[in-house]
Amino acid sequence: MPSTDASTNEPSIVALPELEAGSPSTLFPDIERAFGLGGLGLIVVRMPAAHEYHTLRRNLLAMAAPLATMSEEDKLRLEHPDSQYSFGWSHGKEMFDGVPDTLKGSFYAQVYERDHYDEDYQKRFPFYAHKNIWPSPESLQGHDLEAAFIALGKTMTEVGVLLAKRIDEFLKTKHDNLSSLEAALSSPLNCHKGRLLYYFPKQESAASSDGKEASWCGLHLDHSLLTGLTKAIFNPATLPAGDTSGLYIQLPNKEMCKVAIPEDCIAFQVGEAAQILSRGVLRATPHLVKGTDAVGIDRSTFACFLQPEVDFNLGDGLTFGKFTENILASHYEGGPVM
């Protein structure tokens, strides 16, 4: 694992009203600094204090621990192997450094669920063509996961689509005839997917037997156009002094930068699909989540992957559906062979 001995790097921050106003002189420098060569590949949108986002975030993240600690029988009913665990509950299915990743559990659902998927579509794209799977409130200590998940997902998507509009305007100053991110993400056939993540608490303080640095999520690139991220919630809320856990981004020079997302903000990262679509103007950056060395602390967060329809052409005939298939094959043991 790359060393994460790095100071915190401050991301570009824009306020939601600023994003809505759309002034090029104000926004374009921030977009270029965030997503251009040498940037973090991430920008942060500060939400107004009265915005419902804050309540929606707290409500959903509070459900991650109850979900992860449901009975094994209840969690098994929420698994969906046919979609490569891209719907419902997933734990220990993704591969990290050649072994199953058991450090975190995930719950996936489409933010905008379609009424119907035809048989051919289901066969071609099982990772998107399925109805969402939800636990009953009775099995989740009375929590309505579906309502909370979809409400936060839609709120983050709306902000992400607005950001995509501003990125489109910026890209027009760099290239002609690029496909529109905003149009791709606004399509009713979109594949926006939410992921509620729960990072399990460390049970003992001894170093790992293989000497590897502790990590909750290994170095990777997102394959979406944009990924929205909430600030995580830790339990207990106060981390030990000097704790180095958190989100780290790898810069082109291989330096690892720790990035802090303010509590009142949504962070948006560029995915590989956007890098391809923008002909390299937007730069996706590898990132990881470093675990805490402290015992008994868990972490909950939510990611919203903003993705176009499966037949959307990223360039040179590569569709988003095929691109996704390739990525999933590399993440899961026994995935499709490309």
Side-chain angles (χ1 to χ4, degrees):
M1 176 184 299
S3 172
T4 52
D5 294 332
S7 60
T8 299
N9 194 294
E10 294 298 327
S12 297
I13 300 178
V14 298
L16 181 61
E18 210 179 338
L19 198 62
E20 292 169 335
S23 169
S25 61
T26 302
L27 289 177
F28 286 6
D30 283 327
I31 291 173
E32 185 146 32
R33 175 174 175 260
F35 299 136
L37 186 63
L40 291 173
L42 175 147
I43 200 166
V44 170
V45 179
R46 174 158 282 130
M47 304 298 286
H51 200 283
E52 66 174 351
Y53 165 76
H54 308 294
T55 299
L56 296 176
R57 168 183 165 269
R58 288 192 296 269
N59 286 349
L60 180 61
L61 297 194
M63 299 181 194
L67 179 66
T69 54
M70 289 171 61
S71 71
E72 292 305 315
E73 183 181 358
D74 283 337
K75 286 188 286 190
L76 185 62
R77 282 195 287 264
L78 297 175
E79 291 185 355
H80 193 250
D82 290 348
S83 65
Q84 292 180 272
Y85 301 93
S86 295
F87 286 88
W89 176 250
S90 173
H91 179 226
K93 310 303 181 184
E94 289 185 73
M95 305 300 289
F96 174 39
D97 281 351
V99 297
D101 178 8
T102 59
L103 299 180
K104 64 180 180 294
S106 300
F107 188 89
Y108 295 94
Q110 297 287 107
V111 176
Y112 295 89
E113 187 178 42
R114 297 192 208 174
D115 294 331
H116 173 73
Y117 298 98
D118 63 48
E119 187 175 347
D120 179 65
Y121 188 92
Q122 290 181 34
K123 288 180 179 179
R124 292 172 62 206
F125 308 111
F127 30 83
Y128 295 127
H130 195 272
K131 303 295 285 185
N132 288 331
I133 305 167
W134 302 106
S136 66
E138 292 75 23
S139 66
L140 198 59
Q141 303 176 21
H143 295 297
D144 187 346
L145 180 63
E146 179 179 4
F149 193 108
I150 297 302
L152 181 59
K154 287 184 175 180
T155 296
M156 293 173 68
T157 296
E158 289 167 3
V159 178
V161 170
L162 177 60
L163 174 61
K165 179 178 182 179
R166 302 308 177 210
I167 293 174
D168 280 346
E169 293 165 354
F170 165 74
L171 288 175
K172 287 178 182 177
T173 69
K174 304 293 184 180
H175 277 298
D176 295 325
N177 303 318
L178 291 179
S179 297
S180 165
L181 271 75
E182 181 194 13
L185 297 181
S186 300
S187 166
L189 301 178
N190 71 71
C191 296
H192 305 329
K193 181 156 286 192
R195 182 184 189 183
L196 179 62
L197 293 121
Y198 179 76
Y199 298 84
F200 290 92
K202 191 175 183 178
Q203 299 302 316
E204 54 186 44
S205 58
S208 62
S209 60
D210 60 7
K212 290 181 181 178
E213 191 172 13
S215 177
W216 268 325
C217 181
L219 193 67
H220 68 284
L221 288 166
D222 290 345
H223 76 276
S224 54
L225 285 174
L226 293 173
T227 300
L229 295 169
T230 67
K231 180 178 177 61
I233 288 178
F234 289 88
N235 182 39
T238 302
L239 295 172
D243 188 89
T244 59
S245 64
L247 174 66
Y248 285 79
I249 291 175
Q250 186 180 59
L251 299 179
N253 64 3
K254 305 303 181 182
E255 177 187 358
M256 298 300 296
C257 292
K258 184 179 180 183
V259 177
I261 303 173
E263 188 167 2
D264 60 347
C265 296
I266 306 173
F268 287 93
Q269 289 183 282
V270 162
E272 284 187 275
Q275 180 169 313
I276 295 169
L277 181 147
S278 69
R279 301 177 193 169
V281 175
L282 307 177
R283 309 289 291 191
T285 49
H287 52 280
L288 59 83
V289 178
K290 183 175 183 286
T292 179
D293 293 328
V295 173
I297 295 178
D298 64 31
R299 180 181 189 267
S300 303
T301 192
F302 182 72
C304 190
F305 301 101
L306 304 185
Q307 304 171 142
E309 60 182 283
V310 290
D311 290 326
F312 182 80
N313 186 0
L314 295 174
D316 297 326
L318 177 64
T319 65
F320 182 72
K322 184 63 175 177
F323 183 56
T324 299
E325 192 177 0
N326 293 344
I327 295 296
L328 288 179
S330 68
H331 286 182
Y332 291 88
E333 187 175 30
V337 178
M338 296 297 105

